[in-house]
C-alpha cells in the first residue's frame, strides 16, 4: 500500500520524467558519447538515477511502515 504521494513522485515520477524528457530532447541529436548515441548514453545514465530515486523513496518515506522480523 502506498502511503505517501512524495514517495510515488520521487520513486516513479522523477525517473519517468527524466527518461521521457531525455528521449524527447535527445532523440534527433547525432552526437556520439564513447561511440554510442547520446540518447542511449542518457538512458544508461538514468539507471543509477532510478536506483537512487527508489532508495530515497524507500529510506525516507516507506521503510518505517514495514518492520523486519524481530523489530518492535
Amino acid at each position: 500500500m502506498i502511503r505517501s504521494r512524495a514517495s510515488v513522485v520521487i520513486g516513479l515520477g522523477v525517473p519517468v520524467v527524466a527518461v521521457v524528457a531525455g528521449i524527447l530532447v535527445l532523440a534527433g541529436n547525432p552526437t556520439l558519447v564513447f561511440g554510442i548515441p547520446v540518447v542511449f548514453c542518457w538512458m544508461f545514465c538514468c539507471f543509477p538515477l532510478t536506483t537512487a530515486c527508489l532508495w530515497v523513496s524507500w529510506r525516507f518515506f516507506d521503510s518505517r511502515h514495514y518492520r523486519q522480523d524481530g523489530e518492535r
Side-chain angles (χ1 to χ4, degrees):
M1 178 177 203
I2 299 171
R3 299 175 193 257
S4 171
R5 288 183 187 214
S7 172
V8 173
V9 169
I10 292 172
L12 296 176
V14 171
V16 167
V17 169
V19 168
V20 172
I23 289 172
L24 291 175
V25 171
L26 301 173
N29 194 335
T31 304
L32 299 177
V33 178
F34 301 115
I36 60 173
V38 70
V39 70
F40 291 121
C41 185
W42 176 255
M43 294 300 297
F44 290 130
C45 290
C46 284
F47 294 154
L49 172 70
T50 302
T51 302
C53 289
L54 289 173
W55 180 82
V56 167
S57 177
W58 173 256
R59 176 68 176 90
F60 295 108
F61 298 104
D62 296 333
S63 64
R64 65 178 174 253
H65 300 293
Y66 299 95
R67 296 178 185 211
Q68 294 182 3
D69 293 338
E71 286 187 13
R72 293 197 174 220

